[in-house]
């Protein structure tokens, strides 16, 4: 049993996440040091956060090691599902556990190699409060922040 559990998770509000897009003077875009992972399944229809990566929760078993490797240079990784009550937090936990497993494996392999003395900055893994449902309530129509948003889907419920 892993010692990484729900109490280890941190959350980010939709307002704080949106600020990361809008801080740039250029056209709003996802900062290079940030990744957003959308783990909704068929409920992914109707829009998504600009620049997010869709990894359906049904694919997490085999895609998590790939995610850890591909996102190793990101300072912040944000997970979300529709409500961020189950799939989003579960995905974040799975990611953290796999990251630890792979990090420990690489430490074992690198023993005996020269230490550069540089401390690697710890990656922050967060969950979006309220998930995409809460995000789209405020930012769905905002094309700077949301892509492929379909008002009729959200107006009448998914």
């Amino acid at each position: 049993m892993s010692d990484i559990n729900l109490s280890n998770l941190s959350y980010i509000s939709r307002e704080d996440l949106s600020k990361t897009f809008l801080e740039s003077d250029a056209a709003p875009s996802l900062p290079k040091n940030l990744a957003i992972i959308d783990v909704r399944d068929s409920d992914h229809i109707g829009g998504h956060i600009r620049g997010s990566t869709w990894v359906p929760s049904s694919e997490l078993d085999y895609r998590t090691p790939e995610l850890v490797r591909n996102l190793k240079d990101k300072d912040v990784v944000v997970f979300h599902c529709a409500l961020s009550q189950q799939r989003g937090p579960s995905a974040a936990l799975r990611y953290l556990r796999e990251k630890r497993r792979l990090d420990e494996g690489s430490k074992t392999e690198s023993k005996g190699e020269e230490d550069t003395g540089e401390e690697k900055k710890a990656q922050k893994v967060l969950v979006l409060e309220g998930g995409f449902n809460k995000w789209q309530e405020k930012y769905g129509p905002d094309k700077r922040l949301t892509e492929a948003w379909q008002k009729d889907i959200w107006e009448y419920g998914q």
Side-chain angles (χ1 to χ4, degrees), residues 4-154:
I4 299 174
N5 55 49
L6 287 173
S7 66
N8 300 109
L9 293 180
S10 296
Y11 289 77
I12 186 169
S13 70
R14 63 187 179 183
E15 291 80 13
D16 287 342
L17 184 57
S18 71
K19 284 178 193 173
T20 63
F21 286 88
L22 302 174
E23 286 175 344
S24 170
D25 291 333
S29 63
L30 194 61
K32 292 182 183 352
N33 68 337
L34 171 70
I36 301 173
I37 309 301
D38 183 339
V39 298
R40 293 177 293 160
D41 293 302
S42 62
D43 53 338
H44 183 259
I45 192 168
H48 56 272
I49 298 172
R50 179 170 293 285
S52 64
T53 300
W54 182 36
V55 181
S57 66
S58 59
E59 297 178 8
L60 281 170
D61 278 345
Y62 66 90
R63 291 196 53 194
T64 301
E66 168 194 346
L67 276 175
V68 171
R69 285 189 297 275
N70 290 344
L71 302 177
K72 69 179 181 234
D73 296 329
K74 302 294 183 185
D75 294 335
V76 179
V77 179
V78 178
F79 286 87
H80 78 85
C81 59
L83 301 172
S84 288
Q85 291 180 347
Q86 185 172 356
R87 291 173 294 177
S90 294
L93 288 174
R94 186 178 300 204
Y95 179 87
L96 285 167
R97 291 171 181 155
E98 183 65 12
K99 182 171 174 15
R100 177 188 279 174
R101 187 185 73 76
L102 292 174
D103 286 350
E104 287 173 355
S106 68
K107 284 179 192 173
T108 303
E109 290 173 10
S110 66
K111 278 193 176 180
E113 291 180 14
E114 187 175 321
D115 184 12
T116 62
E118 291 182 23
E119 185 76 25
K120 188 175 178 187
K121 188 176 168 185
Q123 185 180 69
K124 285 177 86 172
V125 176
L126 305 170
V127 177
L128 177 62
E129 289 176 351
F132 188 76
N133 286 18
K134 191 89 167 157
W135 174 271
Q136 70 79 32
E137 285 175 2
K138 188 168 186 176
Y139 303 118
D142 190 335
K143 293 183 180 189
R144 300 171 305 163
L145 301 171
T146 308
E147 295 177 310
W149 187 70
Q150 297 177 19
K151 180 181 178 182
D152 57 329
I153 288 177
W154 295 99

